[in-house]
Amino acid sequence: MRLSRYFLPVLKETPASAEIASHRFMLRAGMIKQHSAGIYSWLPLGFKVLTKIGNIVREEQARAFAVEMLMPTIQPAELWKESGRYEDYGKEMLRITDRSNRELLYGPTNEEVLTDVFRSYVRSYKDLPQMLYHIQWKFRDERRPRFGVMRGREFLMKDGYSFDLDMEGAVRSYNRMFVAYLNTFSRLGLKAVPMRADTGPIGGDLSHEFLILADTGESEVFCHADLVEMDAPGNVDFDGDLQPLVDQRTALYAATDEMHDKDAFEAQVPEDKRLSARGIEIGHIFCFGDKYSKPMGAKVMGPDGKEHFVQMGSYGIGVSRLVGGIIEASHDENGIVWPKSVTPFGAGIINLKTGDAEADKVCEDIYARLGTAGVDPLYDDKNDRGGVKFSRMDLIGLPYQIIVGPRGLKEGIVEVKDRKTGERQNLSPDAAVNFIIEQYKDI
Ligand SMILES: Nc1ncnc2c1ncn2[C@@H]1O[C@H](COP(=O)(O)OP(=O)(O)OP(=O)(O)O)[C@@H](O)[C@H]1O
Ligand SMILES: [Mg+2]
């Protein structure tokens, strides 16, 4: 992409309303535009990151056998009356009336809708298990929308739902998502810790929240310090027994404040390993058995010739919250520092003298070659001063910058800067291109 043809409305001033780094940088880097409390447009740069995160989520869901679909944002109130949640959900639910006075709502979650899909088609245990998900906008009329996309009112969630014949199967499905979530967050460059969680309005008794530690997080968390450094499981057989992997990560103490038990914490965790910190909830999984299948009549014929209510679970990831979460975990005073897996562009090319024949030629050549190699470069071909270009490129946080100017070119070199470390190397244009391509070999 050529910057001269892109839409990147960078702000010079930090908007006063933004209290935390991710919100400030997302506004300044022209990633989002607020229209109303907790309601945003995703501008091109922000939308690109959102899409990349969504695609990593999709890849890891597929590895765990989850199947993608799409459900509507607007749902009929009747389904929620069937499950008994219509009244319970309270003011967070946006209730709508259509022209024929039918009650509708903007979905805050989709247990009812998918249970309705399931009960319409599935009759036999032979068609189980099923694991379906979608990535769709949700609306919750939060009491305090804040911190930008971290607590929006309209926000993008991946939500998945599993259907099994019995509790044993339901726990297998739960474990698959548990492992898939760890792998997903690790690919996003995050150290997510699964913590025992309260089940809230979704219900059920087996539940974990996945949190990343950050001073600006809204949750208070207590855990064994070793959990934070534990590697994600990576390549595992999702058909095999995942219980040992899950046990390994649930054996050590980890709880959010609602579930925290001070005595247990002190008894189970040696003093030098007791971590009490703040965290951002990026995912939440639940196993709730027949909480929805029973009132909504979702049942299948079992091998015993009898009807069984299916045992269900639901699995959420805050896709739009993750954009903010990743920035909270990776930034410095100059701006964002994107992990390679979700960076909106692979590298930035800065032309220090647009209009200079040699600089233009070298930049065009680097731009074309990185593009062909699939690195997706952003070429700053605008007429701004060097200082403006440098700070803009630092702010938007692409992992690498190639800086091209007439002075260096006289000696046949360009400069390659690593955004994270600040390290700079002088290389020939050829070597610079090869260096960048090499960095993306395994992404
Ligand atoms: N208002 C919101 N804005 C952005 N993301 C959200 C919001 N509410 C929930 N999410 C994301 O969706 C995921 C699944 O939703 P869930 O129902 O578990 O949320 P929740 O427990 O109500 O979240 P929170 O405790 O932060 O209000 C959460 O883990 C979070 O990442
Ligand atoms: Mg939650």
Side-chain angles (χ1 to χ4, degrees), residues 89 92 108-109 140 142 149-157 202 209-210 218-219 281-284 286 316-321:
Y89 222 91
E92 278 201 4
T109 177
R140 294 183 185 175
E142 299 275 358
V149 300
M150 291 284 207
R151 184 165 298 282
R153 290 198 295 167
E154 192 178 339
F155 61 96
L156 191 61
M157 196 204 284
I202 309 258
E209 284 177 356
F210 292 76
E218 291 188 284
S219 318
E281 179 191 330
I282 52 176
H284 197 165
F286 304 85
I317 292 182
V319 177
S320 51
R321 178 179 287 182

mmCIF file of all heavy atoms in Angstrom, residues 89 92 108-109 140 142 149-157 202 209-210 218-219 281-284 286 316-321, ligand 1:
data_model
loop_
_atom_site.group_PDB
_atom_site.id
_atom_site.type_symbol
_atom_site.label_atom_id
_atom_site.label_comp_id
_atom_site.label_asym_id
_atom_site.label_seq_id
_atom_site.Cartn_x
_atom_site.Cartn_y
_atom_site.Cartn_z
ATOM 1 N N TYR A 89 -31.435 -10.833 31.970
ATOM 2 C CA TYR A 89 -30.291 -10.143 31.379
ATOM 3 C C TYR A 89 -30.270 -8.649 31.688
ATOM 4 O O TYR A 89 -29.232 -8.027 31.631
ATOM 5 C CB TYR A 89 -30.218 -10.397 29.869
ATOM 6 C CG TYR A 89 -28.802 -10.646 29.418
ATOM 7 C CD1 TYR A 89 -28.279 -11.934 29.379
ATOM 8 C CD2 TYR A 89 -27.967 -9.590 29.058
ATOM 9 C CE1 TYR A 89 -26.980 -12.164 28.998
ATOM 10 C CE2 TYR A 89 -26.657 -9.815 28.678
ATOM 11 C CZ TYR A 89 -26.165 -11.098 28.643
ATOM 12 O OH TYR A 89 -24.873 -11.330 28.274
ATOM 13 N N GLU A 92 -28.385 -4.514 30.279
ATOM 14 C CA GLU A 92 -27.299 -4.668 29.307
ATOM 15 C C GLU A 92 -27.828 -5.049 27.932
ATOM 16 O O GLU A 92 -27.155 -4.871 26.924
ATOM 17 C CB GLU A 92 -26.330 -5.750 29.789
ATOM 18 C CG GLU A 92 -25.357 -5.220 30.780
ATOM 19 C CD GLU A 92 -24.120 -6.076 30.880
ATOM 20 O OE1 GLU A 92 -23.982 -7.050 30.130
ATOM 21 O OE2 GLU A 92 -23.285 -5.757 31.734
ATOM 22 N N PRO A 108 -26.446 -10.187 22.759
ATOM 23 C CA PRO A 108 -25.242 -10.030 23.569
ATOM 24 C C PRO A 108 -24.420 -11.329 23.603
ATOM 25 O O PRO A 108 -23.280 -11.334 24.037
ATOM 26 C CB PRO A 108 -25.802 -9.720 24.969
ATOM 27 C CG PRO A 108 -27.155 -10.356 25.003
ATOM 28 C CD PRO A 108 -27.652 -10.457 23.588
ATOM 29 N N THR A 109 -25.008 -12.426 23.137
ATOM 30 C CA THR A 109 -24.400 -13.750 23.095
ATOM 31 C C THR A 109 -25.396 -14.651 22.373
ATOM 32 O O THR A 109 -26.521 -14.213 22.096
ATOM 33 C CB THR A 109 -24.057 -14.250 24.527
ATOM 34 O OG1 THR A 109 -23.528 -15.583 24.447
ATOM 35 C CG2 THR A 109 -25.288 -14.284 25.433
ATOM 36 N N ARG A 140 -23.778 -4.993 24.070
ATOM 37 C CA ARG A 140 -24.146 -5.011 25.489
ATOM 38 C C ARG A 140 -24.126 -3.565 25.961
ATOM 39 O O ARG A 140 -23.113 -2.882 25.792
ATOM 40 C CB ARG A 140 -23.136 -5.842 26.306
ATOM 41 C CG ARG A 140 -23.178 -7.321 25.938
ATOM 42 C CD ARG A 140 -22.229 -8.137 26.786
ATOM 43 N NE ARG A 140 -22.197 -9.520 26.324
ATOM 44 C CZ ARG A 140 -21.380 -10.455 26.815
ATOM 45 N NH1 ARG A 140 -20.526 -10.153 27.790
ATOM 46 N NH2 ARG A 140 -21.408 -11.686 26.344
ATOM 47 N N GLU A 142 -23.291 -1.661 28.205
ATOM 48 C CA GLU A 142 -22.448 -1.645 29.406
ATOM 49 C C GLU A 142 -22.712 -0.386 30.224
ATOM 50 O O GLU A 142 -22.892 0.705 29.683
ATOM 51 C CB GLU A 142 -20.966 -1.662 29.001
ATOM 52 C CG GLU A 142 -20.535 -2.893 28.213
ATOM 53 C CD GLU A 142 -20.155 -4.059 29.092
ATOM 54 O OE1 GLU A 142 -20.178 -3.909 30.328
ATOM 55 O OE2 GLU A 142 -19.844 -5.137 28.535
ATOM 56 N N VAL A 149 -11.752 0.175 22.736
ATOM 57 C CA VAL A 149 -12.357 -1.096 22.319
ATOM 58 C C VAL A 149 -12.319 -2.158 23.420
ATOM 59 O O VAL A 149 -12.889 -3.227 23.269
ATOM 60 C CB VAL A 149 -11.672 -1.654 21.053
ATOM 61 C CG1 VAL A 149 -11.804 -0.654 19.904
ATOM 62 C CG2 VAL A 149 -10.207 -1.988 21.303
ATOM 63 N N MET A 150 -11.652 -1.849 24.521
ATOM 64 C CA MET A 150 -11.564 -2.820 25.619
ATOM 65 C C MET A 150 -12.930 -3.106 26.224
ATOM 66 O O MET A 150 -13.255 -4.236 26.529
ATOM 67 C CB MET A 150 -10.700 -2.265 26.741
ATOM 68 C CG MET A 150 -9.293 -2.165 26.347
ATOM 69 S SD MET A 150 -8.581 -3.793 26.385
ATOM 70 C CE MET A 150 -6.931 -3.294 26.693
ATOM 71 N N ARG A 151 -13.682 -2.075 26.470
ATOM 72 C CA ARG A 151 -15.050 -2.268 26.950
ATOM 73 C C ARG A 151 -15.960 -1.420 26.087
ATOM 74 O O ARG A 151 -16.293 -0.292 26.418
ATOM 75 C CB ARG A 151 -15.191 -1.911 28.437
ATOM 76 C CG ARG A 151 -16.600 -2.195 28.964
ATOM 77 C CD ARG A 151 -16.685 -2.206 30.464
ATOM 78 N NE ARG A 151 -15.851 -3.257 31.033
ATOM 79 C CZ ARG A 151 -16.173 -4.560 31.068
ATOM 80 N NH1 ARG A 151 -17.323 -4.960 30.566
ATOM 81 N NH2 ARG A 151 -15.348 -5.439 31.592
ATOM 82 N N GLY A 152 -16.296 -1.977 24.940
ATOM 83 C CA GLY A 152 -17.191 -1.285 24.028
ATOM 84 C C GLY A 152 -18.622 -1.654 24.365
ATOM 85 O O GLY A 152 -18.892 -2.459 25.253
ATOM 86 N N ARG A 153 -19.551 -1.053 23.650
ATOM 87 C CA ARG A 153 -20.934 -1.536 23.739
ATOM 88 C C ARG A 153 -21.180 -2.450 22.540
ATOM 89 O O ARG A 153 -21.676 -3.545 22.686
ATOM 90 C CB ARG A 153 -21.909 -0.353 23.769
ATOM 91 C CG ARG A 153 -21.796 0.403 25.104
ATOM 92 C CD ARG A 153 -22.991 1.280 25.363
ATOM 93 N NE ARG A 153 -23.070 2.360 24.378
ATOM 94 C CZ ARG A 153 -24.144 3.113 24.213
ATOM 95 N NH1 ARG A 153 -25.243 2.886 24.923
ATOM 96 N NH2 ARG A 153 -24.131 4.100 23.331
ATOM 97 N N GLU A 154 -20.777 -2.003 21.341
ATOM 98 C CA GLU A 154 -20.788 -2.918 20.206
ATOM 99 C C GLU A 154 -19.375 -3.469 20.084
ATOM 100 O O GLU A 154 -18.410 -2.709 20.035
ATOM 101 C CB GLU A 154 -21.180 -2.168 18.930
ATOM 102 C CG GLU A 154 -21.487 -3.091 17.783
ATOM 103 C CD GLU A 154 -21.914 -2.346 16.522
ATOM 104 O OE1 GLU A 154 -22.352 -1.192 16.612
ATOM 105 O OE2 GLU A 154 -21.797 -2.944 15.449
ATOM 106 N N PHE A 155 -19.226 -4.774 20.084
ATOM 107 C CA PHE A 155 -17.880 -5.355 20.008
ATOM 108 C C PHE A 155 -17.915 -6.683 19.281
ATOM 109 O O PHE A 155 -18.964 -7.324 19.171
ATOM 110 C CB PHE A 155 -17.270 -5.512 21.414
ATOM 111 C CG PHE A 155 -18.048 -6.420 22.327
ATOM 112 C CD1 PHE A 155 -17.695 -7.758 22.466
ATOM 113 C CD2 PHE A 155 -19.132 -5.940 23.058
ATOM 114 C CE1 PHE A 155 -18.409 -8.600 23.319
ATOM 115 C CE2 PHE A 155 -19.856 -6.780 23.900
ATOM 116 C CZ PHE A 155 -19.500 -8.111 24.034
ATOM 117 N N LEU A 156 -16.757 -7.064 18.757
ATOM 118 C CA LEU A 156 -16.684 -8.285 17.946
ATOM 119 C C LEU A 156 -16.250 -9.455 18.818
ATOM 120 O O LEU A 156 -15.217 -9.386 19.487
ATOM 121 C CB LEU A 156 -15.706 -8.087 16.783
ATOM 122 C CG LEU A 156 -15.710 -9.178 15.709
ATOM 123 C CD1 LEU A 156 -17.073 -9.292 15.026
ATOM 124 C CD2 LEU A 156 -14.639 -8.894 14.651
ATOM 125 N N MET A 157 -17.042 -10.506 18.798
ATOM 126 C CA MET A 157 -16.711 -11.678 19.606
ATOM 127 C C MET A 157 -16.696 -12.917 18.732
ATOM 128 O O MET A 157 -17.505 -13.052 17.820
ATOM 129 C CB MET A 157 -17.755 -11.866 20.711
ATOM 130 C CG MET A 157 -17.315 -12.807 21.834
ATOM 131 S SD MET A 157 -18.689 -13.557 22.725
ATOM 132 C CE MET A 157 -19.240 -12.195 23.728
ATOM 133 N N ILE A 202 -24.312 -16.847 32.193
ATOM 134 C CA ILE A 202 -24.283 -17.966 31.243
ATOM 135 C C ILE A 202 -24.616 -19.265 31.993
ATOM 136 O O ILE A 202 -25.219 -20.175 31.451
ATOM 137 C CB ILE A 202 -22.904 -18.066 30.547
ATOM 138 C CG1 ILE A 202 -22.493 -16.715 29.956
ATOM 139 C CG2 ILE A 202 -22.866 -19.207 29.534
ATOM 140 C CD1 ILE A 202 -22.644 -16.510 28.490
ATOM 141 N N GLU A 209 -11.617 -18.376 32.737
ATOM 142 C CA GLU A 209 -11.361 -17.138 31.999
ATOM 143 C C GLU A 209 -9.899 -17.144 31.613
ATOM 144 O O GLU A 209 -9.059 -17.642 32.364
ATOM 145 C CB GLU A 209 -11.603 -15.923 32.889
ATOM 146 C CG GLU A 209 -13.055 -15.609 33.106
ATOM 147 C CD GLU A 209 -13.272 -14.428 34.058
ATOM 148 O OE1 GLU A 209 -12.276 -13.899 34.604
ATOM 149 O OE2 GLU A 209 -14.423 -14.065 34.246
ATOM 150 N N PHE A 210 -9.588 -16.568 30.463
ATOM 151 C CA PHE A 210 -8.194 -16.416 30.041
ATOM 152 C C PHE A 210 -7.854 -14.943 30.175
ATOM 153 O O PHE A 210 -8.544 -14.096 29.598
ATOM 154 C CB PHE A 210 -8.026 -16.902 28.602
ATOM 155 C CG PHE A 210 -8.203 -18.391 28.470
ATOM 156 C CD1 PHE A 210 -9.478 -18.950 28.517
ATOM 157 C CD2 PHE A 210 -7.109 -19.233 28.341
ATOM 158 C CE1 PHE A 210 -9.649 -20.326 28.422
ATOM 159 C CE2 PHE A 210 -7.272 -20.607 28.253
ATOM 160 C CZ PHE A 210 -8.547 -21.161 28.292
ATOM 161 N N GLU A 218 -9.030 -4.605 34.115
ATOM 162 C CA GLU A 218 -10.161 -4.315 34.999
ATOM 163 C C GLU A 218 -10.378 -5.398 36.043
ATOM 164 O O GLU A 218 -11.152 -5.216 36.966
ATOM 165 C CB GLU A 218 -11.430 -4.126 34.175
ATOM 166 C CG GLU A 218 -11.397 -2.849 33.349
ATOM 167 C CD GLU A 218 -12.740 -2.586 32.691
ATOM 168 O OE1 GLU A 218 -13.058 -3.263 31.697
ATOM 169 O OE2 GLU A 218 -13.465 -1.704 33.169
ATOM 170 N N SER A 219 -9.724 -6.564 35.871
ATOM 171 C CA SER A 219 -9.929 -7.653 36.831
ATOM 172 C C SER A 219 -8.734 -7.739 37.766
ATOM 173 O O SER A 219 -7.599 -7.472 37.382
ATOM 174 C CB SER A 219 -10.055 -8.999 36.109
ATOM 175 O OG SER A 219 -10.838 -8.899 34.971
ATOM 176 N N GLU A 281 -9.459 -9.690 30.684
ATOM 177 C CA GLU A 281 -10.101 -10.936 30.249
ATOM 178 C C GLU A 281 -10.234 -10.924 28.728
ATOM 179 O O GLU A 281 -10.921 -10.070 28.169
ATOM 180 C CB GLU A 281 -11.484 -11.066 30.905
ATOM 181 C CG GLU A 281 -12.218 -12.324 30.473
ATOM 182 C CD GLU A 281 -13.687 -12.349 30.885
ATOM 183 O OE1 GLU A 281 -14.040 -11.749 31.922
ATOM 184 O OE2 GLU A 281 -14.472 -12.975 30.157
ATOM 185 N N ILE A 282 -9.575 -11.899 28.087
ATOM 186 C CA ILE A 282 -9.651 -11.945 26.618
ATOM 187 C C ILE A 282 -10.463 -13.140 26.115
ATOM 188 O O ILE A 282 -10.838 -13.188 24.950
ATOM 189 C CB ILE A 282 -8.237 -11.945 25.983
ATOM 190 C CG1 ILE A 282 -7.359 -13.040 26.599
ATOM 191 C CG2 ILE A 282 -7.590 -10.577 26.163
ATOM 192 C CD1 ILE A 282 -5.995 -13.155 25.946
ATOM 193 N N GLY A 283 -10.722 -14.092 26.989
ATOM 194 C CA GLY A 283 -11.540 -15.228 26.577
ATOM 195 C C GLY A 283 -12.198 -15.863 27.784
ATOM 196 O O GLY A 283 -11.751 -15.664 28.926
ATOM 197 N N HIS A 284 -13.272 -16.589 27.535
ATOM 198 C CA HIS A 284 -14.010 -17.198 28.642
ATOM 199 C C HIS A 284 -14.712 -18.440 28.117
ATOM 200 O O HIS A 284 -15.396 -18.375 27.106
ATOM 201 C CB HIS A 284 -15.028 -16.183 29.182
ATOM 202 C CG HIS A 284 -15.559 -16.527 30.531
ATOM 203 N ND1 HIS A 284 -16.242 -15.626 31.312
ATOM 204 C CD2 HIS A 284 -15.524 -17.673 31.241
ATOM 205 C CE1 HIS A 284 -16.593 -16.210 32.459
ATOM 206 N NE2 HIS A 284 -16.167 -17.451 32.429
ATOM 207 N N PHE A 286 -17.117 -21.991 29.063
ATOM 208 C CA PHE A 286 -18.091 -22.520 30.027
ATOM 209 C C PHE A 286 -18.522 -23.917 29.610
ATOM 210 O O PHE A 286 -18.689 -24.177 28.424
ATOM 211 C CB PHE A 286 -19.394 -21.699 29.990
ATOM 212 C CG PHE A 286 -19.255 -20.235 30.218
ATOM 213 C CD1 PHE A 286 -18.955 -19.373 29.169
ATOM 214 C CD2 PHE A 286 -19.476 -19.696 31.471
ATOM 215 C CE1 PHE A 286 -18.867 -18.001 29.374
ATOM 216 C CE2 PHE A 286 -19.399 -18.326 31.687
ATOM 217 C CZ PHE A 286 -19.083 -17.481 30.638
ATOM 218 N N GLY A 316 -16.040 -18.092 24.368
ATOM 219 C CA GLY A 316 -15.948 -16.751 23.791
ATOM 220 C C GLY A 316 -14.527 -16.212 23.744
ATOM 221 O O GLY A 316 -13.722 -16.471 24.641
ATOM 222 N N ILE A 317 -14.244 -15.465 22.681
ATOM 223 C CA ILE A 317 -12.988 -14.696 22.607
ATOM 224 C C ILE A 317 -13.359 -13.269 22.228
ATOM 225 O O ILE A 317 -14.138 -13.054 21.292
ATOM 226 C CB ILE A 317 -12.017 -15.266 21.546
ATOM 227 C CG1 ILE A 317 -11.494 -16.648 21.955
ATOM 228 C CG2 ILE A 317 -10.831 -14.308 21.319
ATOM 229 C CD1 ILE A 317 -10.488 -17.243 20.977
ATOM 230 N N GLY A 318 -12.819 -12.307 22.933
ATOM 231 C CA GLY A 318 -13.085 -10.907 22.617
ATOM 232 C C GLY A 318 -12.163 -10.440 21.508
ATOM 233 O O GLY A 318 -11.085 -9.898 21.769
ATOM 234 N N VAL A 319 -12.592 -10.628 20.263
ATOM 235 C CA VAL A 319 -11.718 -10.326 19.122
ATOM 236 C C VAL A 319 -11.364 -8.835 19.078
ATOM 237 O O VAL A 319 -10.196 -8.463 18.923
ATOM 238 C CB VAL A 319 -12.367 -10.798 17.797
ATOM 239 C CG1 VAL A 319 -11.499 -10.424 16.598
ATOM 240 C CG2 VAL A 319 -12.594 -12.310 17.826
ATOM 241 N N SER A 320 -12.363 -7.965 19.240
ATOM 242 C CA SER A 320 -12.040 -6.528 19.180
ATOM 243 C C SER A 320 -11.294 -6.087 20.442
ATOM 244 O O SER A 320 -10.391 -5.248 20.366
ATOM 245 C CB SER A 320 -13.299 -5.687 18.960
ATOM 246 O OG SER A 320 -14.316 -6.007 19.889
ATOM 247 N N ARG A 321 -11.616 -6.671 21.610
ATOM 248 C CA ARG A 321 -10.861 -6.333 22.826
ATOM 249 C C ARG A 321 -9.391 -6.721 22.670
ATOM 250 O O ARG A 321 -8.501 -6.043 23.203
ATOM 251 C CB ARG A 321 -11.461 -7.035 24.042
ATOM 252 C CG ARG A 321 -10.697 -6.752 25.323
ATOM 253 C CD ARG A 321 -11.294 -7.425 26.534
ATOM 254 N NE ARG A 321 -12.541 -6.784 26.958
ATOM 255 C CZ ARG A 321 -13.236 -7.176 28.033
ATOM 256 N NH1 ARG A 321 -12.819 -8.178 28.770
ATOM 257 N NH2 ARG A 321 -14.343 -6.545 28.370
HETATM 258 N N1 LIG B 1 -17.997 -4.847 26.514
HETATM 259 C C1 LIG B 1 -17.061 -5.595 25.922
HETATM 260 N N2 LIG B 1 -16.208 -5.040 25.018
HETATM 261 C C2 LIG B 1 -15.277 -5.792 24.392
HETATM 262 N N3 LIG B 1 -15.117 -7.110 24.610
HETATM 263 C C3 LIG B 1 -15.934 -7.717 25.494
HETATM 264 C C4 LIG B 1 -16.934 -6.992 26.184
HETATM 265 N N4 LIG B 1 -17.604 -7.855 26.992
HETATM 266 C C5 LIG B 1 -17.026 -9.061 26.816
HETATM 267 N N5 LIG B 1 -16.021 -8.989 25.913
HETATM 268 C C6 LIG B 1 -15.166 -10.093 25.452
HETATM 269 O O1 LIG B 1 -15.949 -11.229 25.122
HETATM 270 C C7 LIG B 1 -15.491 -12.376 25.833
HETATM 271 C C8 LIG B 1 -16.626 -13.328 26.152
HETATM 272 O O2 LIG B 1 -17.715 -12.681 26.790
HETATM 273 P P1 LIG B 1 -18.192 -12.923 28.302
HETATM 274 O O3 LIG B 1 -19.652 -13.066 28.291
HETATM 275 O O4 LIG B 1 -17.363 -13.914 29.006
HETATM 276 O O5 LIG B 1 -17.822 -11.464 28.849
HETATM 277 P P2 LIG B 1 -17.879 -10.879 30.334
HETATM 278 O O6 LIG B 1 -17.431 -11.905 31.299
HETATM 279 O O7 LIG B 1 -19.176 -10.223 30.528
HETATM 280 O O8 LIG B 1 -16.739 -9.783 30.187
HETATM 281 P P3 LIG B 1 -16.377 -8.690 31.284
HETATM 282 O O9 LIG B 1 -16.238 -9.447 32.600
HETATM 283 O O10 LIG B 1 -15.090 -8.080 30.823
HETATM 284 O O11 LIG B 1 -17.542 -7.750 31.283
HETATM 285 C C9 LIG B 1 -14.832 -11.818 27.078
HETATM 286 O O12 LIG B 1 -13.859 -12.702 27.558
HETATM 287 C C10 LIG B 1 -14.214 -10.530 26.549
HETATM 288 O O13 LIG B 1 -12.947 -10.805 25.961
#
